Amino acid sequence: MSKYDVVVIGSGPGGYVAAIRCAQLGMKTAIIEKYSTLGGTCLNVGCIPSKALLDSSHHYEDAVKHFEEHGIELSGDVKINLEKMMNRKSAVVQQTCDGVKYLMDKNKIEVFQGVGSFKDATHINIDKAEGGTETIEATNTIIATGSKPSSLPFIKLDKERVITSTEALKLKEIPKHMLVIGGGVIGLELGQVYSRLGAEVTVVEYMDRIIPTMDSALAKELAKVLKKQGITLNVSHKVKSVERNGDEVIVKADDKKGNEVEFKGDYCLVSVGRRPFTDGLNAEAAGVEVGERGMITVNEHLQTNVKNIYAIGDVVKGAMLAHKASEEGSFVAEVIAGQKPHINYNLIPGVVYTWPEVAAVGKSEEELKEAGVEYKAGKFPMRALGRSRASGDTDGFVKILSDAKTDEVLGVHMIGARTADLIAEAVTAMEFRASAEDIARMSHAHPTYAEAIKEAALAATGDRALHV
C-alpha cells in the first residue's frame, strides 16, 4: 500500500495549489481527481471557459458596434461562428488543464484519476476511472472537492433548455431569448455573453438589486450599463415555477407587489448560487462532521473535527472563489508543515467579469453603516480619465471608504475597464493598512485607468480630487 504525507482530494484551484505547496515543503504528496482533466470547476466549467467566451463575445461586439468610430471599416457582414468560438474556448481550457498536469509532474505529485472516499481517518479508497479500486494511506488529508450549481426545489434541470452554467458554456446555438434566474456573478457574465451575440436576455432576481452581496452603488451603476446594453433586469421577483413546453421555457414569478409575472424564452439559465460538493466522500467513515448542506465545519487552521483532516475552498464557509480556495490551499500546506501562515478574509477581493468589470475589497458602505463605523467616502468617475476617453470605456467609478478618524482604508469599490486587475492595488494597500492619504501621495502613471484610484483617494481626504 502506498503511503503519503498528504493526500488531496480534488484538483481545483484549492486542491492543486495545496498539493504544490505541500510538495514544495518536502512532503510526499498525492492528489485524487475524479474527472479526466485536472483543474476542477474553475478551469473546466467555470472561471476559464467563461472568460474565454466573454473575451470572444467582446471582440464581436466591438467589431459590430465600435470599430467604425475608430475608423475601421469592414466590408460585408461580421458573422459569428459559434462552433469555432466554442472550439477556441475548449482549447484554452485544455491548455490550462495541461498546465496543471505539468505542474503536478514538475513537483513529483502522484495523480490518481478516480473517485476518492474515506475508508477511515488515515486510509482512502480510490475507485479508479479505468476500473478497479486502490487503497492508499494518508498521514494528512485535505478535502478540496469544490461545489456544484444550486437549483430551486421546484425546478427540473433538463440540461437542454433549463440549464446551469455548465451547459451554458457549450450551447450549440445562440438563444433567441435567454431567461436568467439569478442576478449574481454567473448569471450576469453568461447573460452578457449571449446578449452580445444577439440573444434577448431577461434577468429575474429575487433580491432588490443585482449583485446583491456587493456595495449598492456598484449594483446601481452596473444595472444602468446593462440596461443600456439591452439586457432586461427584473429585481424583487420571486420565481415560483419553471416549465418547459417543447422548445419554450415559461418562468412564472411574483413581483414585489405580489402580482404574477410570466416570462417566456427558449433557454432558461438557472444561476442561483452553488452548494458544497461532498457527495460520495464517505466522510462519516473518517469521523468528519458534514453539515446539512454538505458544508464541512473547520477551525481557524481549516482543520476538521478529525485532527489530521483539513478542508478548503467551496466546501468550507466563506465566499466560493477560486482565489480564496488557492489561498487556503497554501495556508493548510504551511500549517501541516508547522508554519504559522495568515489569511485576512476581509481582503479577499470579489470580481464580476462583465464589461465594465466590477471589483471590490473590504467593507461596503452598507456594512460600515450597519456596524456603526464612521467613515469618509471619496468617489471618482472613470469618464474623467484621459485613458478611459481614449479607449471609449467611460462607464463606472472608483470609490474609497476610509475611517473618519484614522483615515485607514476600509473598503474599495470599483466598476470600469480592467477593474478586475486594478483591485490588486487596493488589496495591497489594505494589507499594509494604508490610509487614503498614502494612496493619494503615490504616483500613478498617466494615462491609466489606475489614476482613478489616486483621484478617489484624494476625494476621500478633504474632497480634493484634481480632475473633476
Side-chain angles (χ1 to χ4, degrees), residues 301-344:
H301 301 299
L302 297 174
Q303 191 176 37
T304 69
N305 62 301
V306 180
K307 67 178 184 179
N308 67 311
I309 300 176
Y310 300 78
I312 62 173
D314 291 1
V315 297
V316 300
K317 66 182 179 181
M320 290 186 172
L321 298 169
H323 47 284
K324 179 253 197 187
S326 294
E327 293 297 330
E328 290 179 335
S330 291
F331 178 93
V332 165
E334 291 168 8
V335 166
I336 293 170
Q339 297 182 8
K340 295 183 178 178
H342 149 87
I343 297 177
N344 185 343

Side-chain angles (χ1 to χ4, degrees), residues 66-273:
H66 305 303
F67 274 13
E68 196 173 342
E69 66 191 72
H70 287 276
I72 303 168
E73 296 178 358
L74 301 172
S75 57
D77 294 334
V78 179
K79 295 177 181 176
I80 299 167
N81 184 330
L82 188 63
E83 184 182 3
K84 198 168 186 178
M85 190 179 287
M86 291 294 178
N87 287 343
R88 176 189 175 273
K89 173 226 38 168
S90 298
V92 170
V93 168
Q94 187 63 55
Q95 188 178 16
T96 311
C97 293
D98 287 348
V100 176
K101 178 64 170 69
Y102 161 78
L103 292 171
M104 298 299 101
D105 293 341
K106 177 191 171 189
N107 288 282
K108 298 179 174 56
I109 297 161
E110 188 152 1
V111 177
F112 291 95
Q113 191 189 338
V115 177
S117 60
F118 286 102
K119 181 179 180 182
D120 55 43
T122 55
H123 294 86
I124 298 166
N125 293 326
I126 304 167
D127 290 328
K128 293 190 166 184
E130 70 267 20
T133 302
E134 181 175 349
T135 301
I136 59 175
E137 187 175 346
T139 304
N140 297 281
T141 300
I142 302 173
I143 300 169
T145 46
S147 61
K148 292 284 183 186
S150 292
S151 186
L152 297 171
F154 53 83
I155 295 178
K156 183 186 176 186
L157 295 166
D158 62 23
K159 301 189 177 182
E160 294 173 353
R161 294 283 170 178
V162 183
I163 60 176
T164 69
S165 55
T166 302
E167 294 77 47
L169 290 166
K170 54 184 180 184
L171 291 182
K172 300 229 179 329
E173 64 178 1
I174 298 164
K176 296 179 183 68
H177 186 183
M178 175 176 268
L179 307 176
V180 179
I181 299 176
V185 179
I186 297 168
L188 295 181
E189 287 181 3
L190 291 173
Q192 191 176 59
V193 166
Y194 287 106
S195 173
R196 289 168 175 166
L197 299 181
E200 182 184 350
V201 174
T202 299
V203 177
V204 186
E205 167 59 44
Y206 175 72
M207 301 295 283
D208 63 356
R209 64 179 192 258
I210 57 171
I211 50 170
T213 59
M214 302 185 86
D215 191 281
S216 61
L218 295 176
K220 185 178 178 182
E221 180 74 3
L222 183 59
K224 183 181 81 177
V225 176
L226 292 177
K227 286 175 184 174
K228 196 165 63 177
Q229 293 173 356
I231 294 175
T232 303
L233 304 175
N234 300 275
V235 296
S236 300
H237 278 61
K238 182 181 179 181
V239 173
K240 59 184 184 180
S241 73
V242 177
E243 301 292 337
R244 177 181 174 181
N245 183 12
D247 289 344
E248 185 177 64
V249 182
I250 302 160
V251 173
K252 291 181 180 176
D254 289 335
D255 66 17
K256 62 182 174 183
K257 294 179 181 176
N259 300 318
E260 185 176 277
V261 186
E262 188 175 273
F263 304 96
K264 292 181 180 180
D266 55 338
Y267 285 89
C268 177
L269 168 61
V270 180
S271 53
V272 293

Side-chain angles (χ1 to χ4, degrees), residues 277-312:
F277 184 75
T278 48
D279 304 4
L281 195 56
N282 199 27
E284 59 274 14
V288 174
E289 292 174 6
V290 180
E292 229 175 85
R293 296 183 65 250
M295 189 168 286
I296 297 173
T297 303
V298 291
N299 63 17
E300 69 274 17
H301 301 299
L302 297 174
Q303 191 176 37
T304 69
N305 62 301
V306 180
K307 67 178 184 179
N308 67 311
I309 300 176
Y310 300 78
I312 62 173

